[in-house]
Amino acid sequence: FTLSDATADFAVTDITATGGTIGSFNGSGAVYTAVFTPDADFSGTATVAIGAGAFADDAGNESAAQSDNTLTVNTVAPEVTVSSNVTNVFIGDTATISFTLTKASTDFVLNDVVVTGGTLGTWDATGAVATPYTYTATFTPEPDFVGAATITVPAAAFSDAAGNDNTEGAVSLAVNTTAPTVAITSSATTLGSNDTAVISFVLSADSVDFIEADIAATGGTLSGFSGSGSTYSVIFNPTA
């Protein structure tokens, strides 16, 4: 602030600001400085003004009103919404992960994304040239993994054109890529021509599509298949 006449009563309280605050005021005579700090999450025009009669010079003449000093402010952090085209991923599956930004960015890249329970690839930024600024990538689950996979864009991973860092965004997927196992036991180890054996199958996980046709037998035939969930049985009839 450069005054036309020296004054001893110009103070920080004489300054009016919108869109931010004034601090670190210092100076004397006719030259003063202060620091303007913009409001958080604000986008628009900020003003710094001094009203008429705010201070007086050494002769007692009061100051005239000053035209507003304007500043363009943008402190709105870009947000990222992470979404998936599926909620569950199994063996052989992949998921398309979308990242939708509220503001354009030139430095959002695949390496900004943190992934657990799988890997991310096939990064596509062709949808980010205009609103809604969407990027996509392909999630491939880890083998032999059961649990929640997460795809996270941490806070401050990228920025917008104004230099504002992003807020965090994430999505989780239920992953099961552990192949079920089956334990097979027999009610008998030796069979005569008129004997049969009950063959039991205990699966490590429930199944809805385990059927008799899935079982291969040599030296005999199968019949009487039954069961559900993870426990099944069938009768083995040896070949005469």
Side-chain angles (χ1 to χ4, degrees):
F1 303 88
T2 301
L3 313 182
S4 59
D5 294 306
T7 181
D9 66 352
F10 181 41
V12 68
T13 53
D14 297 328
I15 306 168
T16 301
T18 64
T21 57
I22 296 292
S24 301
F25 180 82
N26 61 71
S28 62
V31 179
Y32 298 81
T33 61
V35 174
F36 174 83
T37 301
D39 289 339
D41 201 31
F42 175 78
S43 180
T45 300
T47 62
V48 178
I50 301 172
F55 62 91
D57 63 16
D58 293 341
N61 300 308
E62 292 185 344
S63 61
Q66 304 299 307
S67 300
D68 291 351
N69 189 340
T70 60
L71 304 92
T72 300
V73 174
N74 182 350
T75 57
V76 178
E79 299 175 357
V80 54
T81 299
V82 186
S83 59
S84 172
N85 68 322
V86 295
T87 56
N88 297 276
V89 184
F90 303 103
I91 294 174
D93 292 343
T94 60
T96 299
I97 308 300
S98 298
F99 307 86
T100 303
L101 281 56
T102 56
K103 302 169 74 176
S105 175
T106 59
D107 61 356
F108 181 41
V109 295
L110 178 61
N111 287 341
D112 293 328
V113 186
V114 178
V115 182
T116 65
T119 59
L120 208 61
T122 318
W123 184 254
D124 185 356
T126 56
V129 295
T131 183
Y133 310 115
T134 300
Y135 301 73
T136 61
T138 301
F139 171 81
T140 302
E142 289 180 4
D144 199 29
F145 176 81
V146 177
T150 60
I151 298 94
T152 304
V153 180
F158 64 89
S159 59
D160 63 13
N164 299 310
D165 289 335
N166 68 285
T167 58
E168 182 178 302
V171 70
S172 63
L173 307 173
V175 174
N176 185 343
T177 54
T178 298
T181 59
V182 55
I184 305 174
T185 58
S186 172
S187 62
T189 56
T190 304
L191 298 176
S193 59
N194 295 319
D195 295 334
T196 60
V198 176
I199 309 300
S200 298
F201 305 87
V202 178
L203 281 58
S204 61
D206 288 351
S207 174
V208 295
D209 62 355
F210 182 43
I211 59 176
E212 184 177 323
D214 296 327
I215 307 166
T218 61
T221 59
L222 302 175
S223 63
F225 180 83
S226 65
S228 63
S230 62
T231 304
Y232 299 81
S233 65
V234 72
I235 296 172
F236 176 77
N237 306 281
T239 301

